[in-house]
Amino acid sequence: MEEYTDNPGIFAPDLLGCGLDHGASAWNPDEQGLFFPLSWTEGIETLLNDKVGEEGCTVVVQGGLAPVGILLASRNPQKVKRLILTSPPTHEDIVNAVNEDELKRNYDILRSNVPGSFAFRLLEMRSLIKLFSDLFLFEDGCDDRWLDETQRE
């Protein structure tokens, strides 16, 4: 990335609660509530308008942030010159809303003491991060630098 100097900036929004090592605040859904793509996009637009000049930027989003990236690009064509989606959900998953009952069930499970805390501990395991990263993010597999960075978060 050090050689990437003659092109517009790269903007890669983090998932809520991620990026702590880079100055983000911890996210507690009981305090801040849940965010949906449009409200998340509106928050990011404030940052784009403040930090991105007329040269625009490239937005890179991964996985479930694809709807946010798509909204950013479609609502801000003068700022978002390019959009890169890595491991996006299927088109069907992007355009069809998740049933409210399913959202509530998933939220309640993830917020529960036993299954929720177990799921988060499992998802934070280095071996699982490596498996996911190798399957969906890196053609030749991720390196230790990537794994170290993800575990700092």
Side-chain angles (χ1 to χ4, degrees):
M1 294 302 296
E2 290 79 19
E3 295 86 34
Y4 191 78
T5 58
D6 294 335
N7 296 297
I10 296 175
F11 184 74
D14 279 323
L15 291 167
L16 292 172
C18 295
L20 301 178
D21 201 46
H22 303 285
S25 299
W27 171 69
N28 181 338
D30 293 332
E31 294 173 11
Q32 289 104 344
L34 294 175
F35 289 83
F36 293 91
L38 180 58
S39 59
W40 200 335
T41 300
E42 291 169 341
I44 294 171
E45 285 172 337
T46 301
L47 183 63
L48 275 180
N49 289 329
D50 190 42
K51 300 291 184 185
V52 177
E54 62 185 50
E55 74 280 0
C57 69
T58 297
V59 171
V60 180
V61 292
Q62 188 268 321
L65 282 179
V68 172
I70 292 167
L71 282 170
L72 277 172
S74 67
R75 290 168 50 102
N76 303 277
Q78 298 302 332
K79 297 278 184 179
V80 180
K81 301 298 184 182
R82 284 168 292 290
L83 174 63
I84 299 173
L85 306 175
T86 63
S87 304
T90 65
H91 179 264
E92 183 177 318
D93 286 340
I94 290 175
V95 299
N96 293 316
V98 176
N99 177 297
E100 275 192 49
D101 291 336
E102 185 178 346
L103 282 175
K104 182 178 177 353
R105 184 197 65 206
N106 293 346
Y107 177 80
D108 290 344
I109 289 171
L110 291 173
R111 297 297 300 157
S112 67
N113 287 332
V114 177
S117 61
F118 174 75
F120 280 108
R121 280 197 307 276
L122 185 66
L123 291 171
E124 292 171 345
M125 290 176 54
R126 189 176 181 99
S127 57
L128 194 59
I129 293 169
K130 180 169 177 36
L131 174 66
F132 175 84
S133 298
D134 289 349
L135 285 173
F136 299 107
L137 300 177
F138 294 91
E139 183 177 6
D140 297 323
C142 66
D143 58 16
D144 285 333
R145 181 177 169 201
W146 169 259
L147 292 170
D148 292 342
E149 181 71 21
T150 61
Q151 290 199 291
R152 268 198 302 278
E153 294 293 324

